[in-house]
Amino acid sequence: MLIGITGTPGTGKTSVAEALRRRGIDVLDLKTTVAPYVLEHDEEMGADIIDVEEWAKANRFLEGYAEGAIAHYLPAEKIIILRCRPDVLKERLAPRGYPAEKIRENAEAEALDVILIEAADAFAAEQIYEIDTTSIDSETAAELIISFAEGKIPASFGSLDWSEYVMSL
């Protein structure tokens, strides 16, 4: 069984994966699997362009927990989407040295529910659990992930709405 942890960059995937590892759970960092599928590097955005279809095909038999912004392309049993209010996301991304355009693009993707929509195309609502990481720590998010993976809490799909934030801009 595969439990995928996905989300826009800056929502806390790496921190939550570290919290899960501290609990003895092995979590695969999907960034370590993409090198053979990089088509090109976008210098302006500081990002690799990946052949996601070929990557997903090659990694379709993964088991356990896996985290990465493309985890929702894998045939997971359950998918956790980490979310963050776009203004807070911008604050989290700024210290990473990303170009302003990349920060804006990621905040817009979060505001427009891009990963949620992509996941909803591939998974049933009962397989999806959204976690708002705007104001919780990685340990709390890790506990929620474990509880959802073990079937102790129900799916949470479409529960977050950043439209009020977007409309205030």
Side-chain angles (χ1 to χ4, degrees), residues 8-68:
T8 305
T11 56
K13 296 178 301 298
T14 300
S15 297
V16 168
E18 290 170 4
L20 289 167
R21 288 183 191 107
R22 283 192 293 275
R23 294 166 183 250
I25 297 170
D26 188 32
V27 182
L28 174 63
D29 177 353
L30 293 173
K31 288 186 295 283
T32 65
T33 67
V34 299
Y37 307 96
V38 173
L39 301 173
E40 64 181 283
H41 183 75
D42 183 335
E43 285 297 328
E44 186 176 318
M45 295 301 280
D48 290 330
I49 308 303
I50 300 164
D51 184 338
V52 179
E53 287 181 22
E54 287 300 314
W55 170 82
K57 203 182 304 180
N59 289 283
R60 67 185 177 273
F61 298 115
L62 291 176
E63 294 284 325
Y65 286 75
E67 69 88 7

Side-chain angles (χ1 to χ4, degrees), residues 9-10 19 21 33 62 81-82 90 102 116 122 133 144 159 162 169:
R21 288 183 191 107
T33 67
L62 291 176
I81 305 171
L82 301 185
K90 284 181 170 182
K102 183 174 182 173
L116 175 63
T133 65
L144 290 168
S159 60
W162 306 130
L169 296 177

Side-chain angles (χ1 to χ4, degrees), residues 86-103:
D87 58 323
V88 174
L89 188 71
K90 284 181 170 182
E91 292 171 12
R92 291 181 182 180
L93 294 175
R96 295 184 183 188
Y98 288 168
E101 176 63 21
K102 183 174 182 173
I103 293 172

